[in-house]
Amino acid sequence: MLEHIPAWLGRSLGNVRAGASKLAIVQPELGGRFEPIDLSSPAFAQDARLPPRFTADGEGISPPLVWGALPEGTATLALLVEDADAPAPQPLVHAVIWGIPADAGRLPEGAIVADGAGLADTGDVGRNSYLGEGWLPPDPPTGHGEHRYVFQLFALDAAAEDPGPSPGRSALVRAMAGHVLAAGLLIGTYSRGEEALTGHAQTTVAATST
């Protein structure tokens, strides 16, 4: 959808961004002092450009994720993916998952899809900002600059509430409040219509222009 915004308008909105301070992981109701989780992806490095296959310019599937040791008492995990640079008052939500088994250790490529359409034992999928279940592929406006897609993984205790069927970001944050034991953070970037760095090799390439 946002690829249809003209480049001149994208450039004029360059300073209109939700901001990292609006991300779920820094909201005071979650506590703010967590043990760290080592969260990474075999598909892209921290702060590196997302391969197009995971965006609206490619296949639009979700990237693989892996994580390390979790603190004692972890019952389940939840994942939120937000665009900190969306030209909106709040970050754009690209994925909501809760109920990921504590022993899962990973989410395979393409796992974030509507409930019943994906792999078993990857948790329950909620609603993204377009009100659909599953992965909302990154789709930044041309000329708006680099967007940060922030993958936030939360380790939850056994007392965490059920956020209900197909919850959005707000419902999940309410359910997690007071029950986060640890959190991990991974950032992938994407942009259109400008030079950008990509992948593990950090090779300069021209960003997709539409």
Side-chain angles (χ1 to χ4, degrees):
M1 181 180 294
L2 296 182
E3 76 273 17
H4 300 302
I5 292 178
W8 65 264
L9 181 54
R11 288 190 292 270
S12 71
L13 293 172
N15 292 327
V16 180
R17 295 172 183 265
S21 65
K22 302 290 184 64
L23 293 169
I25 199 168
V26 296
Q27 297 313 301
E29 58 263 45
L30 293 188
R33 295 184 179 181
F34 315 123
E35 291 187 38
I37 300 173
D38 182 13
L39 178 63
S40 63
S41 174
F44 63 96
Q46 173 77 314
D47 296 318
R49 186 173 169 83
L50 290 166
R53 67 185 275 103
F54 304 120
T55 77
D57 292 325
E59 296 176 46
I61 60 176
S62 61
L65 300 172
V66 295
W67 51 87
L70 303 173
E72 184 177 352
T74 298
T76 60
L77 296 157
L79 177 73
L80 269 170
V81 185
E82 298 178 284
D83 177 2
D85 297 296
Q90 297 292 330
L92 200 67
V93 178
H94 287 262
V96 174
I97 308 179
W98 79 101
I100 302 170
D103 60 355
R106 60 191 287 268
L107 279 180
E109 181 176 297
I112 306 177
V113 294
D115 287 337
L119 302 172
D121 299 326
T122 54
D124 295 312
V125 180
R127 290 178 288 108
N128 56 48
S129 283
Y130 285 5
L131 303 181
E133 286 188 350
W135 174 247
L136 178 62
D139 184 24
T142 300
H144 194 250
E146 184 176 85
H147 281 219
R148 293 163 294 171
Y149 297 91
V150 185
F151 295 74
Q152 303 155 82
L153 184 71
F154 300 94
L156 307 176
D157 64 28
E161 298 179 9
D162 185 339
S166 297
R169 176 213 194 250
S170 296
L172 182 60
V173 169
R174 285 195 299 270
M176 294 193 299
H179 302 289
V180 178
L181 302 176
L185 190 74
L186 174 65
I187 299 174
T189 68
Y190 200 67
S191 60
R192 285 191 174 108
E194 60 185 54
E195 293 291 308
L197 297 176
T198 186
H200 292 273
Q202 299 285 282
T203 303
T204 300
V205 297
T208 303
S209 180
T210 54

